Amino acid sequence: MALASCYNNLGLYYQQMGRLGDAQHSYHEAVALRKPIVAKYPEDPDFCSELCSSYHNLAYAYFHLGQPNNAIALYQEEIHLCEDLQRKHPQVTAHRVNLGAAYNNLGMIFFEQKNIAKASEVLQRALDLRLELAPNGFFGRFH
């Protein structure tokens, strides 16, 4: 997993430097390395969470490279995995935060595509997650 983390971090660097094509490539490599590990160890929450992070980053890159359908598919993968993590580990706030961020970003893509009904549904789910977190003193932001 260390190699996957290196690719993911390199992608973050490229993203910050405005080199989204290079970031996309690095995130893709991180996903390619992490998916088989999660398939082999599906009950390991750390491995699953790291794959969620790579899905999120790759989806972001795809969206900003003008490939919203690829981004949608990845956000949906992330949501599926994050929902599973949240169900198995409800005490871990980070899983709900990550799930909310994925719903939020997916909703914004639907909004930009003028799919208002779908955007509303997905963004409402992001809001519901935020409201669940607020009473616990968590006011972090979704991105």
Side-chain angles (χ1 to χ4, degrees), residues 53-126:
S53 175
S54 290
Y55 279 148
H56 191 88
N57 293 339
L58 182 56
Y60 176 92
Y62 273 130
F63 177 71
H64 289 281
L65 287 168
Q67 300 175 43
N69 291 334
N70 288 338
I72 288 169
L74 286 164
Y75 281 130
Q76 289 171 335
E77 292 267 353
E78 178 188 8
I79 287 168
H80 176 74
L81 196 52
C82 284
E83 284 178 338
D84 191 49
L85 278 169
Q86 196 228 344
R87 192 172 30 261
K88 291 177 181 174
H89 307 280
Q91 74 284 6
V92 180
T93 303
H95 299 321
R96 277 183 293 185
V97 171
N98 294 339
L99 182 58
Y103 273 116
N104 186 70
N105 289 3
L106 179 61
M108 292 309 298
I109 293 173
F110 288 136
F111 180 77
E112 288 199 17
Q113 291 181 330
K114 310 279 190 259
N115 187 343
I116 303 305
K118 190 70 173 168
S120 177
E121 173 190 333
V122 173
L123 290 170
Q124 183 62 53
R125 182 65 182 124

